[in-house]
Amino acid sequence: MTTDAISGHFYFKKDDFCLNVHFSIPAQGITAIFGHSGSGKTTLLRCIAGLDRPQQGELYIKETCWQKEAQQFFLPTHQRALGYVFQEASLFPHLNVEKNLRYGLQRTAKEHCQIHFDEAVHLLGIQHLLHRRPRSLSGGERQRVAIARALLTSPQILLMDEPLAALDTQSKTDILPYLKSLHHNLSIPIVYITHDIDEALSLADYMLVLQQGEVIARGSIDSLLTQLTLPLFPAHSARTLLNAPVISHDKKYHLSLLDVLGHNLTINGLDYPIGQMLRLTINARDVSLSCSDQPLGDILNCLPVTITAIQEDEHYQWLVTLKYKELTLLSYITKKASDLLQIQIGQSLFAHIKEINVL
């Protein structure tokens, strides 16, 4: 047990499914619980919430013990300082938005109140919805209200069980900036369940990967993405996550310049202020390899790299792991290209990056 972590273990068996996990995650930021259907993600969240009681287990939220089965101690759900956001918003249909929110606020003693009504309303952008009933809201609006209501309980931890799963693509796009704002503006740790790796990339700092009821990997999300043995996505969809600040703009060509570990890369557009830290992804398919740093056609971005691993996939193509200082990149190339370059571990080449995506 550490004071800056959420930690514990659960052994929970029901019917033919068994959850057997040990975990320790940061007590700040967003932790994604990732896995395919049936891996145990929701069961883990329900155990943290106290909705399911495991046969064995313990749970600490920083220095506070919520559960220790060996001592027959189990804090019931209503006594756990948590917020829970389900796939469906579950708002009270007979109350307008403001009264739904104040219901959450009324559950918190004034001396424990950390998030105020106006703050939650502003963070989720729902000022214009306060007098409307849930039935008149879109799916994305209902979910934003549900998140605000959970925040108004001033929880020590916010649990979110695939909150975007029931939304259409446009609604997901609309709500993501509000979820990012929670990350940047609140100190409440968020545990976020998803089976969508793109959601995890957009939001999370840390990730647990579950498979058949067990944790098979844990760590910062950027480090896990380049572990090729994990079931995150197929080789042809592999990508790298990185963060880089905007250092200048090229107004003539409508480009922004980024500092990537002392090397300059460019992205399209002038929408980002100088100094802003951007979260970026680079798809393996968008990284070409060459013996020269001279531009390849219209590809302007280039990094000197060293090959650290090579893996063949089922399509007779190669996923190549590359290193530039502390940054790991991936390149997905044909077998013919690998033969022409005579690629081997330890070889120095140049990675030409066709496209950089801003999340």
Side-chain angles (χ1 to χ4, degrees), residues 305-325:
V305 294
T306 302
I307 296 176
T308 59
I310 303 168
Q311 177 178 301
E312 184 177 6
D313 81 346
E314 66 271 19
H315 302 294
Y316 206 56
Q317 291 188 286
W318 298 90
L319 189 59
V320 184
T321 305
L322 312 163
K323 202 76 173 179
Y324 166 68
K325 296 185 178 179

Side-chain angles (χ1 to χ4, degrees), residues 111 140 167 233 240 258 302 353:
E111 62 270 22
L167 304 182
F233 31 55
T240 300
L258 309 175
C302 179
I353 303 168

Side-chain angles (χ1 to χ4, degrees), residues 12 99 232 283 335 340:
F12 179 70
K99 290 180 179 179
L232 302 184
N283 294 334
K335 176 65 166 61
L340 290 172

Side-chain angles (χ1 to χ4, degrees), residues 327-354:
L327 174 66
T328 300
L329 288 174
L330 299 172
S331 177
Y332 189 65
I333 62 174
T334 64
K335 176 65 166 61
K336 182 175 182 179
S338 71
D339 287 347
L340 290 172
L341 291 168
Q342 298 182 329
I343 64 168
Q344 56 186 315
I345 293 175
Q347 183 179 5
S348 295
L349 290 170
F350 292 92
H352 297 265
I353 303 168
K354 303 173 189 177

Side-chain angles (χ1 to χ4, degrees), residues 183-209:
H183 181 284
H184 296 303
N185 293 288
L186 297 178
S187 59
I188 298 171
I190 298 173
V191 180
Y192 187 99
I193 285 184
T194 183
H195 65 271
D196 185 333
I197 191 63
D198 290 319
E199 278 182 37
L201 286 175
S202 294
L203 297 170
D205 310 292
Y206 194 87
M207 186 161 69
L208 295 183
V209 183

Side-chain angles (χ1 to χ4, degrees), residues 207-240:
M207 186 161 69
L208 295 183
V209 183
L210 265 61
Q211 190 174 72
Q212 296 179 343
E214 297 185 352
V215 175
I216 61 169
R218 71 193 76 198
S220 64
I221 190 166
D222 56 337
S223 67
L224 294 185
L225 283 181
T226 54
Q227 292 186 26
L228 305 183
T229 57
L230 294 179
L232 302 184
F233 31 55
H236 65 270
S237 299
R239 67 203 75 168
T240 300

